[in-house]
Amino acid sequence: MAERDTTITELPEPRRPAPVEAVTPTATPHHLGPTRTSSPHAGSSHVGSPHAAGAEPEVSGLTVLAYGIGGLGLAGRFLHLWLVQQKGLVVSAGEVLGITFAVLLGVSVIGTVRRAQRR
């Protein structure tokens, strides 16, 4: 039998990407505060506000608590339907999803009405 060559050959070095130059942002993020120009009245009046372009308004702690309680209530309703009333898994999930859709639709309508009243 012929002997095999068992020497290890070196692999070429992998290519490295070219270094990227630092890019200076053109807009100041809203958490850094408003940007000032030469005149205090120059520029947009919405600079730095939480409702500026792309920024989402903060959610209050009470709203987060209400969402948490609602989620626990829906989970409890699902378990009650499935385990206590012994309805099927799919039927229980379907009823809870229907309730969830109705609640989210109501929250959306209320939010739209409140936002329209502020303008």
Side-chain angles (χ1 to χ4, degrees):
M1 288 178 95
E3 290 184 34
R4 290 186 177 176
D5 185 18
T6 58
T7 59
I8 298 175
T9 58
E10 290 186 29
L11 297 174
E13 278 192 40
R15 289 186 170 181
R16 303 211 189 285
V20 178
E21 295 181 20
V23 177
T24 305
T26 57
T28 304
H30 72 278
H31 64 276
L32 295 179
T35 55
R36 297 283 180 206
T37 55
S38 59
S39 169
H41 300 291
S44 173
S45 63
H46 297 292
V47 173
S49 73
H51 300 291
E56 294 184 22
E58 290 186 23
V59 178
S60 70
L62 186 61
T63 303
V64 173
L65 181 66
Y67 287 164
I69 291 171
L72 287 175
L74 288 169
R77 178 70 178 156
F78 169 74
L79 291 174
H80 181 264
L81 286 169
W82 185 37
L83 299 174
V84 176
Q85 293 186 357
Q86 295 187 348
K87 293 190 177 186
L89 178 71
V90 175
V91 172
S92 301
E95 184 171 333
V96 170
L97 286 175
I99 294 169
T100 304
F101 178 74
V103 168
L104 289 175
L105 182 62
V107 167
S108 176
V109 169
I110 290 170
T112 302
V113 169
R114 289 183 67 192
R115 190 173 298 117
Q117 288 177 351
R118 277 189 261 162
R119 289 183 182 183

